[in-house]
Amino acid sequence: MSQLISKSKESTDKTLFGKYTSERMRTWENIKNTYEKNNVHIAESASQFVHIVKYEINTLKRSIESQKKQNQELNRKANEQLKNANDFKSQYQKACREMNIQGDDLRVELENLIKDLPGIFD
């Protein structure tokens, strides 16, 4: 609220002693001073602190737990994908052994096999 008030044109007009010349500004300054003098701001801060402790910390704890579960699920999926990749790699190597090729450069190796075909069928 004080930020909005300080942006108004009336907030720039002050006397030699630092008091506002505008009646509205003096009223707001008195309200603010009373608010701080009676320590109402401390009670309001305590109320906000209680709200944070009751609700927001619990919400953050639930969020952390949710993130941990999601992290565990993603790690499980990553491990499953690595296992699948290893399975496919072993199947690929087995297929290459059955065709008597290394599997490093398939195109060249298969072309070489094609060149050997006429000798096999003759």
Side-chain angles (χ1 to χ4, degrees), residues 83-114:
K83 181 185 173 292
N84 288 341
N86 288 333
D87 290 346
F88 287 124
K89 185 177 180 181
S90 65
Q91 289 175 4
Y92 172 76
Q93 291 171 344
K94 181 181 176 186
C96 287
R97 279 193 306 272
E98 288 174 0
M99 295 188 334
N100 295 325
I101 59 174
Q102 294 291 322
D104 296 331
D105 190 359
L106 283 178
R107 183 178 189 146
V108 172
E109 292 174 16
L110 291 175
E111 286 175 356
N112 288 338
L113 285 177
I114 291 172

Side-chain angles (χ1 to χ4, degrees), residues 50-122:
V50 167
H51 174 77
I52 289 170
V53 168
K54 278 185 176 178
Y55 301 106
E56 296 194 24
I57 290 177
N58 288 332
T59 302
L60 291 173
K61 284 180 181 178
R62 284 191 300 272
S63 176
I64 289 170
E65 288 302 315
S66 172
Q67 296 298 321
K68 283 182 181 178
K69 286 179 184 176
Q70 185 179 11
N71 190 17
Q72 289 171 349
E73 180 67 19
L74 291 174
N75 284 336
R76 185 191 62 77
K77 286 183 180 180
N79 289 335
E80 185 178 311
Q81 294 299 322
L82 285 173
K83 181 185 173 292
N84 288 341
N86 288 333
D87 290 346
F88 287 124
K89 185 177 180 181
S90 65
Q91 289 175 4
Y92 172 76
Q93 291 171 344
K94 181 181 176 186
C96 287
R97 279 193 306 272
E98 288 174 0
M99 295 188 334
N100 295 325
I101 59 174
Q102 294 291 322
D104 296 331
D105 190 359
L106 283 178
R107 183 178 189 146
V108 172
E109 292 174 16
L110 291 175
E111 286 175 356
N112 288 338
L113 285 177
I114 291 172
K115 291 177 185 174
D116 294 340
L117 282 177
I120 294 172
F121 290 112
D122 285 337

Side-chain angles (χ1 to χ4, degrees), residues 31-44:
I31 291 170
K32 181 182 155 239
N33 289 339
T34 304
Y35 176 77
E36 291 174 351
K37 180 181 174 185
N38 294 332
N39 294 325
V40 174
H41 65 286
I42 293 174
E44 186 177 348

Side-chain angles (χ1 to χ4, degrees), residues 14-52:
K14 291 187 177 185
T15 64
L16 181 63
F17 299 108
K19 298 290 182 180
Y20 290 107
T21 56
S22 166
E23 184 64 32
R24 280 191 279 180
M25 290 305 296
R26 282 194 303 254
T27 304
W28 276 112
E29 186 176 36
N30 286 337
I31 291 170
K32 181 182 155 239
N33 289 339
T34 304
Y35 176 77
E36 291 174 351
K37 180 181 174 185
N38 294 332
N39 294 325
V40 174
H41 65 286
I42 293 174
E44 186 177 348
S45 296
S47 173
Q48 290 173 349
F49 182 71
V50 167
H51 174 77
I52 289 170

